[in-house]
Amino acid sequence: MGRAGFPANAIGFAIGLPLILAIGGLEAFRPMGLSLPALTGGLLTLDTMIRVGLFTIVLVGLNLLMGYAGQVSLGQAAFYGMGAFFSAIMTVRARTLGIPPALAEAWWWPWLVMLTGAFLVGLTAYGIGRPILRLRGHYLAMATLGLGIVVYILLRENLGLPHLNLTGGFDGIQGIPRLRLGGLLLWPAWRYYFLVWLFAFGAIALGLRVVRSRVGRALRAIHGSEMAAESVGVEVSYYKAQVFGLSAAMAALAGSLYAHFQTTVIPATFGFGSSLELVVMSAVGGMASIWGAPFGALTVLLVQEVLRTQLHRVIPNAQGEFEAIAFGVILVLIMLFLPEGLTTGGLRWLRSRMGLRPR
Amino acid sequence: MLYISPDGTGERSEAPLLEVLRVSKAFGGLMALLDVSLCVWPGQIKGLIGPNGAGKTTLFNLITGMLRPTSGDIRFQGRSIVGLPPHRIAALGIARTFQNVQLFSGMTVFEHVLVGGHRHGRSGLLGAIFQTSRVRQEEKEARARAWRILERVGLVEWADRPAESLPLGLQRILEIARALATAPRLLLLDEPGAGLNPPEKAQLAGLIRSLPEEGITVLLVEHDMNMVMGLADEIAVLDYGQLIAEGPPEAIRQDPRVIAAYLGEEDEVWNAARG
Ligand SMILES: Nc1ncnc2c1ncn2[C@@H]1O[C@H](COP(=O)(O)OP(=O)(O)OP(=O)(O)O)[C@@H](O)[C@H]1O
Ligand SMILES: [Mg+2]
């Protein structure tokens, strides 16, 4: 309906797209020696912005799962890692796997791998989710916690096949090729930045469409009352598994993009800590909002950056633990004062300031 | 062909819509329902009454597949529905409301009714993502249908409000609207009048009374005796999980077993009903 609604989506694209384009343009041309770090006092770098884009893709999926369908995942980094390692293995280890070089060296091979990986990871999550999600309550949280640990150990232990050395164990995989579009190398970083944000906006658009659809309503209904949802014919476990699969596929896609950006992947990047970080980003941005994804990622990355560089000024001997503690305190404060996250809470505030009805 | 209802309440020229056949339900050692048989006939408003804890809600949960009977069979349009999951039973045309209102928190009134119409749609995740013209057409029709139902139950002005912000009376009406949106053949109402004031109850009674004309059969659980007696053409009485009486309201009113079951329970209501 959208009557008397706050045109959040239109404003989001109207501000977000030009802003992202401007940052990319700035970094591509560096007019008069200006750059993103110079303009932001070293706070923001292109590297950070690429990460925000990657996390946005993961978080849109995670928000659909947690904020809309109400199913908590504590293992989302595992899917991110599965995508990253799938891309890394299928490109760097192509010979071990017996993939003909003519294929593995074609420019489109990594792209095909990326899409296949996302599809397979999504399918796997759907398959795992179907039986787990039949149960009510927080079984998914527990199961995904376990899944995350299993995937992490499998990556670290070479999938149990040490002689093939597919994942590279602790050290992971180095030398992942950069992406190309035909003859165009998607590097330096600003080119890759545009690619990542193309996907990120695609993810946002996808999320917005899902939320407003019949499926999106079914997901929110499940969140509200599973009993009432099934009483009107919503097949609860099917929809839960579907959105779980979608969120996993999106995480895997972002993971592949990460692998080709970083060119190195190690299992430690995809452990429980990272899954928790994703949940925190989701909560900070606002779980029940698609636009919360980029804001949550940006806020958390910025807070971490500031703590890393500034904390020692306040507490001279501050070590890593202090960063973690300060990070925790800031998150608690955000949750206390904006429990719906920055986006939903902020929008509510804006709407009430503008005298629009709360929705 | 003549059908004899298993409980012996008479013979009919048509098949029953719902048959509950010797159904029992045990919760641990507690028999919430014991060997209960009853029929609901097409086009009727059937009352289901009984003191607190008699097993009325449990029976609803069994019919809608949210619980499985310990023994016995439940048939809808001649077909056993025991063991079917709730969404399949909903798809067959059984809808319900809840004694403790079950709203979708965070969703508007209009969205509740849209979710109610879920089963008339086909579009899935891919359809949502690619927004094909078929999906958009389906969405338009779903909205039009939901809007008609809001008009029908008088909730149009509330359409864009969060459902939780409605007064309880309207929340109960909204639950009925959501159930009606499934286009049910059988509607199970679990104490729709609880917590409503007299004008709200009158509005609710009007709505319930109009349902059979539209081909919707009603099974009504209600503690307000005046309301059930005024609406139902037949009443079944449960007490401690057993069916103790069944028949037209006038007979139920006089039935000594029913009066005994209600003794001390809610004298005032009961006496008021007997006038
Ligand atoms: N899920 C359950 N687990 C255990 N016992 C239950 C469960 N549901 C109901 N009971 C018990 O079964 C009996 C019947 O309960 P039920 O809710 O069906 O009664 P009711 O007739 O709907 O009562 P009321 O008029 O108070 O709503 C009660 O003793 C209740 O405590
Ligand atoms: Mg009850």
Side-chain angles (χ1 to χ4, degrees), chain A residues 231, chain B residues 57 60-61 64 66 94-98 175 179 187-188 190:
Chain A
S231 83
Chain B
T57 300
F60 274 18
N61 288 337
T64 53
M66 296 183 177
I94 301 182
R96 70 175 291 180
T97 65
F98 296 87
E175 277 216 336
L187 178 59
L188 312 178
D190 200 348

Side-chain angles (χ1 to χ4, degrees), chain A residues 1-4 64 130 136 205-207 209-239 242-243 245-246 357-359, chain B residues 61 66 86-87 90-91 94-96 98 102-108 110-111 114-125 128-131 138-139 142-143 147 157 159-162 178-179 182:
Chain A
M1 293 270 104
R3 284 189 310 261
L64 286 174
R130 208 63 217 267
R136 290 212 178 112
L206 178 148
R209 284 188 164 189
V210 170
V211 167
R212 277 177 297 189
S213 70
R214 169 171 178 268
V215 176
R217 282 193 300 267
L219 294 176
R220 290 162 65 203
I222 290 169
H223 193 179
S225 166
E226 285 190 22
M227 233 192 335
E230 60 190 2
S231 83
V232 293
V234 175
E235 191 177 354
V236 171
S237 66
Y238 169 74
Y239 281 106
Q242 225 181 27
V243 70
L246 177 68
R357 271 202 234 142
R359 280 204 302 171
Chain B
N61 288 337
M66 296 183 177
H87 70 270
I94 301 182
R96 70 175 291 180
F98 296 87
Q102 293 281 323
L103 296 177
F104 304 134
S105 52
M107 298 182 80
T108 65
F110 186 59
E111 286 171 328
L114 277 172
V115 174
H118 180 85
R119 78 181 183 94
H120 306 300
R122 285 280 147 288
S123 63
L125 211 43
I129 293 168
F130 296 109
Q131 291 284 313
E138 183 184 292
E139 180 73 10
R143 283 169 181 269
W147 198 254
E157 305 110 87
D160 282 340
R161 294 289 207 94
R178 179 177 67 192
T182 68

Side-chain angles (χ1 to χ4, degrees), chain A residues 3-357:
Chain A
R3 284 189 310 261
F6 187 76
N9 297 334
I11 292 179
F13 281 114
I15 296 178
L17 268 173
L19 191 68
I20 290 300
L21 284 175
I23 292 175
L26 178 72
E27 284 292 303
F29 300 112
R30 299 240 159 154
M32 298 172 292
L34 286 176
S35 71
L36 186 60
L39 284 176
T40 58
L43 201 57
L44 265 184
T45 62
L46 200 60
D47 189 87
T48 310
M49 287 307 294
I50 290 175
R51 277 165 213 282
V52 172
L54 292 173
F55 283 132
T56 296
I57 301 168
V58 184
L59 291 174
V60 167
L62 195 57
N63 285 359
L64 286 174
L65 179 70
M66 298 205 302
Y68 289 92
Q71 308 301 310
V72 176
S73 168
L74 296 178
Q76 210 68 6
F79 301 125
Y80 190 55
M82 283 161 85
F85 269 90
F86 189 74
S87 277
I89 292 171
M90 295 298 275
T91 53
V92 178
R93 303 269 195 264
R95 195 177 313 164
T96 318
L97 294 169
I99 298 161
L103 209 62
E105 274 151 34
W107 70 268
W108 46 263
W109 175 252
W111 297 95
L112 181 67
V113 168
M114 183 186 297
L115 295 181
T116 314
F119 180 75
L120 290 178
V121 171
L123 204 65
T124 307
Y126 177 82
I128 297 172
R130 208 63 217 267
I132 300 171
L133 291 162
R134 207 173 298 262
L135 306 165
R136 290 212 178 112
H138 290 295
Y139 292 96
L140 185 66
M142 302 309 285
T144 50
L145 182 68
L147 183 76
I149 294 168
V150 169
V151 169
Y152 170 70
I153 292 175
L154 280 177
L155 293 178
R156 209 186 58 190
E157 301 300 328
N158 260 311
L159 311 176
L161 308 164
H163 55 287
L164 290 179
N165 195 34
L166 282 179
T167 69
F170 273 101
D171 303 327
I173 300 176
Q174 291 80 36
I176 302 158
R178 300 241 176 251
L179 289 176
R180 283 176 292 156
L181 256 185
L184 178 72
L185 184 68
L186 293 178
W187 199 258
W190 63 264
R191 285 194 188 156
Y192 206 72
Y193 163 94
F194 280 117
L195 174 74
V196 167
W197 277 97
L198 185 72
F199 276 99
F201 276 108
I204 290 174
L206 178 148
L208 292 173
R209 284 188 164 189
V210 170
V211 167
R212 277 177 297 189
S213 70
R214 169 171 178 268
V215 176
R217 282 193 300 267
L219 294 176
R220 290 162 65 203
I222 290 169
H223 193 179
S225 166
E226 285 190 22
M227 233 192 335
E230 60 190 2
S231 83
V232 293
V234 175
E235 191 177 354
V236 171
S237 66
Y238 169 74
Y239 281 106
K240 282 189 196 169
Q242 225 181 27
V243 70
F244 186 49
L246 177 68
S247 78
M250 292 176 82
L253 183 84
S256 291
L257 287 170
Y258 167 82
H260 291 290
F261 166 61
Q262 204 68 28
T263 70
T264 298
V265 290
I266 55 169
T269 315
F270 310 108
F272 174 64
S274 308
S275 288
L276 210 57
E277 201 171 89
L278 287 170
V279 173
V280 169
M281 286 178 177
S282 165
V284 167
M287 284 191 193
S289 80
I290 296 301
W291 288 104
F295 286 107
L298 180 66
T299 309
V300 169
L301 288 182
L302 279 183
V303 167
Q304 281 173 339
E305 179 67 14
V306 171
L307 286 176
R308 198 173 56 76
T309 57
Q310 307 296 321
L311 193 64
H312 65 92
R313 296 196 185 170
V314 192
I315 311 169
N317 296 322
Q319 301 286 318
E321 306 87 78
F322 281 93
E323 273 172 42
I325 292 170
F327 185 60
V329 170
I330 290 170
L331 290 176
V332 170
L333 288 179
I334 292 180
M335 290 296 102
L336 275 178
F337 294 107
L338 274 179
E340 297 169 300
L342 294 176
T343 324
T344 315
L347 274 180
R348 189 179 299 278
W349 180 79
L350 258 182
R351 282 197 191 107
S352 65
R353 285 300 300 265
M354 293 172 61
L356 292 172
R357 271 202 234 142

Side-chain angles (χ1 to χ4, degrees), chain B residues 230-248:
Chain B
L231 281 172
D233 43 33
E234 198 180 24
I235 293 176
V237 189
L238 281 176
D239 188 27
Y240 289 113
Q242 285 180 286
L243 191 77
I244 57 166
E246 192 174 14

